[in-house]
Amino acid sequence: MAGETINEVELMMPELRGPGGDMAAQMRLMYDLVKAPLIVPVLRLAVYVCLTMSMMLFVERLYMGIVIILVKIFCGKPEKRYKWEPMREDYEIGTSVFPSVLIQIPMFNEKEVYKISIGAVCNFAWPSDRLVVQVLDDSTDHNIKEMVEKECLRWASKGINITYQTRVTRGGYKAGALKEGLTHDYVQDCEYVAIFDADFRPEPDFLLRSIPFLIHNPEIALIQARWRFVNADECLLTRMQEMSLDYHFKVEQEVGSSTHAFFGFNGTGGIWRIAAINEAGGWKDRTTVEDMDLAVRAGLKGWKFLYLGDLHVKSELPSTFKAFRFQQHRWSCGPANLFRKMFMEIVRNKRVNVWKKVYVIYSFFLVRKITAHMVTFFFYCVVLPLTILVPEVEVPKWGAIYIPCIITILNSVGTPRSIHLLFYWILFENVMSFHRTKATLIGLLEFKRANEWVVTEKLGDAINNNNKSNSKPAPKKTKSIFKDRILLHELGFAVFLFVCGVYDYLHGKNHYYIYLFLQVITFTIAGVGWVGTIVPS
């Protein structure tokens, strides 16, 4: 067989060398030479790998759907599964019946939203003498630091036990700030610590509804509340995020809490038992997901977590595409890097059962944090379009159409009000899968950007204030607009998919060009930055 191939090459060499040979014809001949022995087998292998990953994701989503239905029917509310009693002040011993709670609010140049979380926690329905509010400000802007400090002093003058803490350096970023905050003498009497990012606004009864679970169930280390979004209707970008995050909270967190008493801490909107933090080794800054890192380590120590889906905390979604991309890089790169660092530690752990270890390794990390991103990008944006150009390789319709449709329907249960946006959500998720896959590979291979930390920009009321302002906007900066708005990778994929779509329209038989042309439009919209809120210069 090898001899026949060599003979073919020798026969074609004169034509390839001919001075009058057409360049396109020469390239076609070279392509035909490598197509059968190399391109077809490699592409066929890629199809098999993608189908396997797709089935892994399908089984995971189906399992989640079945479990969440059973939980809703048979398990009941957390108050029935765990011991819970309402908090009441004792007339004899006064407020000492309430445990001391530390509230940590990490910040970094949060000009637009710094008042939100401070005001919310200072209005908690909790005895002020049993509450310590700690604002951990790592801001580099001195004007913002002054504003935050003044806000803390304003609440302190009203009798709130609030302290303003800064650091010399931002070592460890958020993890470093939270870790240092726990070392101060004035928090040593606190049993629990609640954490809220600067844009989070918990309701006044947040502690009254959550702390009793920790008091009466000593095996519970973490209470996680559900996020709700105040700006979900701001633009199409925020609606897309709401759909993804609602599935995460309504299904993934609920299933993990109900079946294994384990899930990933979301970094904010939750309460930790300080003893559990200390036993797990405290906060670490070895990845960009310090919250997930702590949760996994605490889970391996045998601690249980409880998710309260009825306890809501309002927050803000990133509404600019640039901020969203940075956030998704951190959220995708961090878990992959943590999986790399903790895989053997999870395998060797002897304090949790095998079923829980399998759940953490396979379901929590491998399927949700790695496979889900990669199969979305490689299968639907690379492999499937390439099979159009190489008709010798076919993708079965159950893998190209039926399985993805079922997975999409299962994902949609989190946000019924956005069911009409489901098809565009698929196309947008395919675009974002490029960034998530790249970040996942960076985390797995621990490349240069593995520990890149960019704080997600929050706008608060900035857009409304800019719209109401009568002042003239500053001149636009062409370079920054080009850098932030024009994304060459997305535009490159738009061109690639357009070529595949045209070829399928002219020569194909599966009519994939309908999907491809719609995907081209979505990649182009993202490539020119026409996504999300556009902030005036």
Side-chain angles (χ1 to χ4, degrees):
M1 187 69 182
E4 293 178 3
T5 304
I6 293 172
N7 291 333
E8 290 177 5
V9 174
E10 291 176 348
L11 289 172
M12 293 179 181
M13 285 304 291
E15 184 177 350
L16 291 174
R17 294 195 197 101
D22 181 74
M23 181 62 70
Q26 293 177 19
M27 293 180 64
R28 178 68 184 176
L29 286 171
M30 292 299 296
Y31 174 72
D32 289 338
L33 283 174
V34 299
K35 182 179 179 181
L38 179 62
I39 295 178
V40 171
V42 170
L43 187 56
R44 189 168 285 133
L45 176 62
V47 170
Y48 292 150
V49 171
C50 287
L51 288 174
T52 301
M53 292 194 295
S54 186
M55 284 302 300
M56 289 169 60
L57 188 60
F58 168 71
V59 172
E60 171 74 8
R61 291 291 188 264
L62 189 62
Y63 162 76
M64 289 281 185
I66 294 172
V67 172
I68 197 64
I69 292 173
L70 296 176
V71 167
K72 296 297 182 183
I73 295 175
F74 298 108
C75 290
K77 293 186 176 182
E79 290 83 355
K80 295 182 179 179
R81 304 200 308 266
Y82 293 89
K83 186 177 180 181
W84 187 91
E85 294 179 6
M87 300 290 298
R88 294 188 180 91
E89 186 173 341
D90 192 298
Y91 291 104
E92 295 183 1
I93 61 176
T95 60
S96 59
V97 69
F98 290 82
S100 295
V101 180
L102 171 67
I103 310 294
Q104 289 185 318
I105 308 175
M107 293 189 176
F108 177 73
N109 294 336
E110 310 284 5
K111 179 182 178 181
E112 305 297 342
V113 296
Y114 71 92
K115 290 184 179 181
I116 291 175
S117 55
I118 294 177
V121 302
C122 288
N123 282 307
F124 272 157
W126 197 262
S128 58
D129 61 323
R130 311 297 290 174
L131 193 68
V132 179
V133 181
Q134 192 179 66
V135 178
L136 307 171
D137 191 8
D138 275 355
S139 298
T140 54
D141 188 312
H142 293 290
N143 293 328
I144 296 177
K145 293 176 75 171
E146 288 181 6
M147 290 189 292
V148 176
E149 186 173 14
K150 286 181 180 178
E151 182 69 8
C152 294
L153 292 173
R154 187 174 74 85
W155 283 104
S157 66
K158 296 182 179 182
I160 302 298
N161 185 6
I162 183 171
T163 59
Y164 176 73
Q165 299 288 160
T166 60
R167 298 189 297 161
V168 177
T169 65
R170 289 185 65 211
Y173 301 106
K174 182 179 177 179
L178 295 173
K179 182 176 183 178
E180 185 173 311
L182 293 174
T183 62
H184 296 283
D185 293 337
Y186 62 83
V187 302
Q188 298 308 308
D189 294 330
C190 296
E191 300 177 53
Y192 314 107
V193 54
I195 302 168
F196 301 99
D197 285 349
D199 60 311
F200 277 68
R201 50 198 85 177
E203 297 296 328
D205 63 348
F206 182 89
L207 296 180
L208 291 174
R209 295 177 60 186
S210 57
I211 290 293
F213 285 104
L214 293 168
I215 293 176
H216 300 294
N217 303 275
E219 73 279 9
I220 295 179
L222 167 67
I223 302 290
Q224 175 68 61
R226 181 185 169 187
W227 298 0
R228 297 306 298 263
F229 312 107
V230 297
N231 65 331
D233 293 323
E234 182 176 331
C235 59
L236 192 56
L237 175 62
T238 54
R239 288 292 290 271
M240 298 296 101
Q241 294 176 68
E242 181 191 39
M243 294 176 71
S244 300
L245 289 171
D246 276 354
Y247 178 83
H248 169 70
F249 282 106
K250 283 188 175 182
V251 180
E252 291 179 346
Q253 296 289 77
E254 188 72 71
V255 169
S257 175
S258 303
T259 57
H260 304 279
F262 171 82
F263 48 82
F265 175 45
N266 295 115
T268 177
I271 308 176
W272 276 94
R273 190 185 299 272
I274 295 179
I277 295 178
N278 294 333
E279 185 182 349
W283 294 100
K284 294 185 178 181
D285 61 351
R286 56 182 175 173
T287 70
T288 58
V289 284
E290 73 294 324
D291 42 13
M292 187 182 295
D293 187 348
L294 177 61
V296 174
R297 285 185 283 114
L300 294 179
K301 293 291 184 180
W303 289 97
K304 294 182 178 181
F305 305 157
L306 176 61
Y307 170 70
L308 299 180
D310 293 333
L311 183 61
H312 297 171
V313 182
K314 296 177 181 178
S315 63
E316 179 184 334
L317 292 164
S319 56
T320 65
F321 192 45
K322 180 181 179 181
F324 181 57
R325 284 189 293 113
F326 276 123
Q327 181 200 67
Q328 293 304 296
H329 174 86
R330 192 172 75 246
W331 286 7
S332 302
C333 178
N337 193 232
L338 181 63
F339 181 60
R340 170 194 173 102
K341 287 180 165 68
M342 293 202 67
F343 176 76
M344 291 309 301
E345 184 178 343
I346 298 170
V347 171
R348 293 169 182 161
N349 184 274
K350 297 180 180 180
R351 296 189 62 172
V352 297
N353 57 46
V354 174
W355 176 235
K356 188 169 184 177
K357 287 194 284 187
V358 170
Y359 173 77
V360 175
I361 292 174
Y362 177 79
S363 180
F364 182 76
F365 275 115
L366 186 60
V367 177
R368 285 189 243 162
K369 309 302 181 185
I370 297 175
T371 301
H373 305 323
M374 290 189 173
V375 70
T376 303
F377 172 67
F378 285 118
F379 197 12
Y380 304 111
C381 299
V382 179
V383 174
L384 187 62
L386 284 176
T387 60
I388 294 171
L389 304 178
V390 186
E392 292 86 348
V393 180
E394 292 187 6
V395 178
K397 288 189 176 180
W398 63 263
I401 300 173
Y402 304 139
I403 293 298
C405 288
I406 297 173
I407 292 174
T408 302
I409 292 171
L410 293 173
N411 280 337
S412 68
V413 299
T415 316
R417 78 184 188 99
S418 298
I419 194 73
H420 61 290
L421 299 173
L422 193 57
F423 192 75
Y424 182 78
W425 177 75
I426 299 170
L427 299 173
F428 181 74
E429 284 292 292
N430 288 349
V431 173
M432 290 308 303
S433 68
F434 165 70
H435 295 283
R436 293 173 182 144
T437 299
K438 181 173 67 172
T440 299
L441 292 174
I442 289 173
L444 281 175
L445 302 176
E446 208 159 20
F447 285 160
K448 186 176 180 180
R449 293 182 62 198
N451 293 310
E452 180 184 69
W453 181 281
V454 178
V455 176
T456 304
E457 180 186 22
K458 294 108 180 174
L459 299 181
D461 296 325
I463 294 298
N464 293 331
N465 292 337
N466 281 328
N467 290 338
K468 293 176 183 177
S469 174
N470 294 323
S471 60
K472 295 182 180 180
K476 295 182 179 180
K477 299 179 180 179
T478 306
K479 289 185 179 180
S480 64
I481 289 177
F482 182 85
K483 181 180 179 182
D484 294 341
R485 297 282 301 277
I486 304 301
L487 305 175
L488 297 180
H489 291 127
E490 279 80 351
L491 294 177
F493 268 102
V495 173
F496 164 67
L497 294 175
F498 180 76
V499 171
C500 295
V502 170
Y503 187 88
D504 187 56
Y505 177 77
L506 296 175
H507 307 289
K509 55 184 179 179
N510 293 316
H511 302 293
Y512 289 147
Y513 65 85
I514 299 173
Y515 153 73
L516 291 174
F517 288 149
L518 291 172
Q519 193 66 73
V520 167
I521 295 172
T522 311
F523 265 103
T524 303
I525 290 173
V528 297
W530 201 25
V531 181
T533 300
I534 306 301
V535 182
S537 299

